[in-house]
Amino acid sequence: MDAESDEKFLRDCFIDNGDLETLLDCDDAKRVVVGRVGAGKSALLNRLIDSTKNAFEVKAENLSLNYISNSDIIQFFEAIGVKLDIFYQLLWRHVFTVELLKRRYKFTEHEPSALHRIFQDLFNRDPAKKRAVQYLESWGSEFWKDTELRIRDLTTKLEERLTSSLGTSLAQNFNINLSSAKTIGEDVRTEIIHKAQNVVNANQVRELGEIIDFLASEVFTDPLNRYYIVIDRLDENWVDERVRYKLIRALIETVRAFQKVRTTKIIIAIREDLLRKVFDETRDAGFQEEKYDSFFLRIRWKKTKLKELLDTRIAHLVREQYTQHPVYFNDVFRTPIRSETAIDYVVDRSLNRPRDVIAFVNCCIELCEGKEFVSPSTVQDAEKKYSEGRLRSLGDEWRAEFPGINNYVELIRARPSSFKYSEIGISEFESFMTDVFQDLTATDPMRGYIEDYISGKRSPNNCLIQMLKILYLTSVIGIKPQATDRTSWSHSEDRGISDGQYKAGATIYPHKMLWRALDITPPPRQQERGR
């Protein structure tokens, strides 16, 4: 079900819903591929690399960025309030510049003077470009080292400059580490921040701009010779949490800056929940999230494309193992299920993403191996295992942000397939909060809300709204604010539901994908059909 383990099927059964063309267009601003778990981000980027000349991956886990989080000096200055965002952007720009130049000119570590030889005619014509080349040349043979070694070198140089900025008198008064940062007085803190911030900003701001301008105007100018850098798996354990969100934010800013280099494109994939967390953790004064919208390619799947995906994979499976005669989804799922077509039944019990429908079909096929087709009763038998697996998957997807998500879903267990907001009684919810509270970790946002309720700072109704907002965000439920509205699902739209729309007349719909796992009661007609 995941792209990393799906090499054979992914190669032969890839379905493009139009996103590949968007990514290949260097003039298109969309560079950040955003989607939920299982939406097809990795599959899309793998296809781009496999099918495109001059496309390559830079793996975040190979950059030794943990060297930053393990640096006492860096953590000290971070803790007292020095903004290192520009430095983090410089790291990314340096990495991308080196990787692009190595591939453009096929440099090796044995050619430390190659840059000077190629660009020497620019030196006298344009001082700014001369400075850009001199910055790159200043690394000498180290410029062509492995990326992880360059990260260490850049960080070490900054550490030395920051330490020197303190001066002898300040440096002798305390150890430069995270612990001492917590004990420094306000006057000394202000002085250190002022000196250190000047060091961070002094030369690097100019260098950042000059390198990009140099690449855009002198190096990557051929529209027929395009280069693509891909970065994936940012949700994995590639750097310590203490700097992870700042490094990802710096990466996004770097991706935006590199659009000036019109024949290159840096493309990153990021989970929807991680992107939200990055912006929440790095939000500063004047931040406007809508300014980033044009850079986001949000992966959306229509039912027709999911059907095409299943057709292709089933045909490939059957042709490879049984017969050369083409066999498709409708040949295997021949009959309606509870008066729904099989494809409607499967897709309606998914979050409109490939991983879900593949998982459901796999569960069905496992139960009918050796049979000619999948019967409606087999689909319903398979649905129990599938539904429980999707509930576990949602827990894994959102646990970092909502550690108690598996506790929250118990609020809707054994309820009808639709019910009014007012049907969740306040006394019932107060009892539920008491039961849940003891299992929530200190980092769980609901724990803070419940603590406010216990201390009288927040009403139980407000706590209920906060929990329902989480269940909506994670697609456990959909909301119809009033009778004239359509039902809103977070996985298919971005408008969201405001606090004021959670009121007595609002209707709540547990997602069909989770009905069996949460013992949701189907509508009466479906119960009869099921019997």
Side-chain angles (χ1 to χ4, degrees):
M1 294 185 294
D2 60 295
E4 292 81 3
S5 308
D6 195 33
E7 181 178 348
K8 183 170 62 174
F9 274 84
L10 189 59
R11 183 183 63 247
D12 298 331
C13 306
F14 179 79
I15 298 297
D16 181 17
N17 58 9
D19 293 335
L20 184 59
E21 182 180 355
T22 299
L23 291 183
L24 289 173
D25 184 357
C26 290
D27 293 326
D28 194 306
K30 294 188 182 340
R31 286 158 161 77
V32 181
V33 181
V34 183
R36 299 271 302 257
V37 169
K41 301 182 298 298
S42 294
L44 178 61
L45 297 193
N46 287 345
R47 187 67 167 194
L48 187 148
I49 292 172
D50 291 343
S51 63
T52 309
K53 179 185 176 184
N54 296 330
F56 58 95
E57 182 178 9
V58 171
K59 296 184 178 181
E61 64 268 26
N62 293 340
L63 299 182
S64 285
L65 289 167
N66 267 325
Y67 184 80
I68 298 171
S69 56
N70 292 333
S71 165
D72 286 339
I73 297 173
I74 296 296
Q75 291 307 308
F76 169 82
F77 285 99
E78 275 272 16
I80 66 171
V82 177
K83 293 185 178 297
L84 297 177
D85 310 59
I86 292 175
F87 169 67
Y88 297 147
Q89 291 182 44
L90 179 64
L91 288 180
W92 287 117
R93 294 195 188 195
H94 190 89
V95 167
F96 296 145
T97 297
V98 173
E99 296 302 324
L100 285 168
L101 287 175
K102 284 171 70 174
R103 282 162 176 79
R104 169 69 176 79
Y105 294 108
K106 298 180 173 57
F107 287 147
T108 71
E109 61 187 48
H110 304 297
E111 298 178 282
S113 62
L115 280 171
H116 188 279
R117 185 178 69 252
I118 292 172
F119 301 120
Q120 60 183 341
D121 62 314
L122 295 175
F123 283 10
N124 296 324
R125 289 193 286 114
D126 192 325
K129 290 178 177 132
K130 179 178 179 179
R131 285 196 301 269
V133 176
Q134 286 176 333
Y135 165 76
L136 300 177
E137 278 196 310
S138 68
W139 291 85
S141 60
E142 294 180 351
F143 188 80
W144 310 113
K145 285 181 179 179
D146 289 341
T147 303
E148 60 183 289
L149 296 177
R150 294 194 301 273
I151 294 288
R152 290 172 180 262
D153 288 340
L154 279 164
T155 306
T156 299
K157 288 185 178 182
L158 179 66
E159 289 173 333
E160 293 170 353
R161 292 174 185 169
L162 288 174
T163 303
S164 298
S165 73
L166 295 179
T168 306
S169 58
L170 276 175
Q172 290 177 343
N173 290 334
F174 49 78
N175 294 320
I176 303 178
N177 55 43
L178 190 59
S179 299
S180 62
K182 301 174 183 178
T183 62
I184 294 175
E186 193 59 36
D187 291 342
V188 175
R189 180 186 298 269
T190 301
E191 181 183 356
I192 293 174
I193 291 174
H194 175 71
K195 290 181 176 181
Q197 201 66 62
N198 285 338
V199 167
V200 174
N201 297 346
N203 297 317
Q204 296 175 37
V205 172
R206 187 185 69 187
E207 291 167 352
L208 288 174
E210 289 175 347
I211 292 171
I212 297 291
D213 291 341
F214 167 70
L215 295 177
S217 62
E218 300 295 340
V219 182
F220 297 97
T221 57
D222 182 359
L224 300 179
N225 196 21
R226 300 187 171 193
Y227 291 80
Y228 301 88
I229 297 179
V230 167
I231 297 186
D232 194 6
R233 292 182 283 278
L234 291 172
D235 56 325
E236 296 182 0
N237 188 28
W238 55 280
V239 73
D240 191 278
E241 289 288 327
R242 289 175 294 179
V243 294
R244 181 186 188 190
Y245 303 119
K246 291 183 179 180
L247 282 169
I248 294 177
R249 174 69 182 277
L251 173 59
I252 293 172
E253 300 295 344
T254 304
V255 168
R256 293 178 68 196
F258 257 85
Q259 70 176 333
K260 288 181 67 176
V261 189
R262 301 293 294 274
T263 62
T264 70
K265 197 167 188 178
I266 301 169
I267 301 166
I268 66 174
I270 188 168
R271 281 178 12 186
E272 189 85 48
D273 56 308
L274 180 55
L275 180 64
R276 284 170 41 84
K277 190 71 171 178
V278 167
F279 282 154
D280 287 345
E281 293 291 329
T282 62
R283 197 178 300 270
D284 45 24
F287 174 76
Q288 295 180 338
E289 189 170 335
E290 61 268 20
K291 289 184 177 181
Y292 294 81
D293 286 346
S294 63
F295 296 93
F296 297 151
L297 174 62
R298 298 188 183 276
I299 296 185
R300 298 282 192 263
W301 287 85
K302 295 181 178 179
K303 185 180 296 185
T304 54
K305 283 295 181 180
L306 291 171
K307 170 69 159 45
E308 185 181 349
L309 174 79
L310 293 174
D311 277 340
T312 305
R313 295 176 73 93
I314 288 174
H316 184 74
L317 172 70
V318 174
R319 183 172 63 250
E320 184 175 83
Q321 296 192 23
Y322 303 105
T323 176
Q324 291 300 307
H325 182 72
V327 176
Y328 302 111
F329 180 87
N330 288 343
D331 298 311
V332 177
F333 294 81
R334 298 178 181 177
T335 53
I337 304 156
R338 292 180 174 175
S339 298
E340 292 184 70
T341 65
I343 190 61
D344 286 345
Y345 194 90
V346 169
V347 173
D348 287 351
R349 284 155 181 75
S350 76
L351 299 183
N352 287 52
R353 53 188 182 181
R355 186 173 297 181
D356 296 334
V357 296
I358 291 170
F360 201 166
V361 170
N362 282 350
C363 287
C364 294
I365 290 175
E366 285 175 6
L367 293 183
C368 67
E369 187 170 350
K371 297 180 181 178
E372 188 175 351
F373 64 94
V374 179
S375 68
S377 61
T378 299
V379 174
Q380 293 175 62
D381 290 341
E383 186 180 346
K384 176 69 172 175
K385 178 182 177 181
Y386 163 75
S387 183
E388 291 172 346
R390 293 301 88 196
L391 181 59
R392 288 193 299 271
S393 178
L394 278 181
D396 293 339
E397 179 180 354
W398 292 97
R399 190 167 291 114
E401 191 167 355
F402 307 116
I405 181 67
N406 288 339
N407 299 92
Y408 308 162
V409 298
E410 295 302 313
L411 179 65
I412 65 168
R413 180 176 290 279
R415 292 187 184 273
S417 57
S418 66
F419 57 94
K420 296 293 185 183
Y421 174 87
S422 56
E423 292 178 36
I424 305 176
I426 293 301
S427 59
E428 173 197 356
F429 184 67
E430 287 177 319
S431 176
F432 178 78
M433 281 195 293
T434 302
D435 294 338
V436 165
F437 181 74
Q438 59 188 351
D439 294 326
L440 299 182
T441 65
T443 60
D444 196 299
M446 274 310 303
R447 186 178 181 90
Y449 298 140
I450 297 174
E451 286 174 343
D452 286 347
Y453 156 71
I454 293 172
S455 62
K457 298 177 183 178
R458 191 182 294 268
S459 70
N461 185 62
N462 186 268
C463 287
L464 174 58
I465 289 173
Q466 301 308 319
M467 185 170 287
L468 290 175
K469 284 174 67 176
I470 294 172
L471 294 178
Y472 169 79
L473 174 64
T474 55
S475 295
V476 173
I477 61 173
I479 303 286
K480 180 187 278 191
Q482 52 190 11
T484 55
D485 293 331
R486 58 186 174 85
T487 305
S488 174
W489 296 96
S490 67
H491 60 274
S492 59
E493 55 189 78
D494 304 315
R495 64 190 178 98
I497 300 293
S498 66
D499 285 13
Q501 292 176 293
Y502 290 89
K503 49 191 176 184
T507 305
I508 297 171
Y509 296 87
H511 198 287
K512 290 182 179 180
M513 182 178 75
L514 305 175
W515 278 9
R516 297 290 296 277
L518 294 176
D519 302 318
I520 301 300
T521 306
R525 284 182 298 174
Q526 287 203 20
Q527 292 183 59
E528 292 170 7
R529 292 175 191 140
R531 287 198 292 269

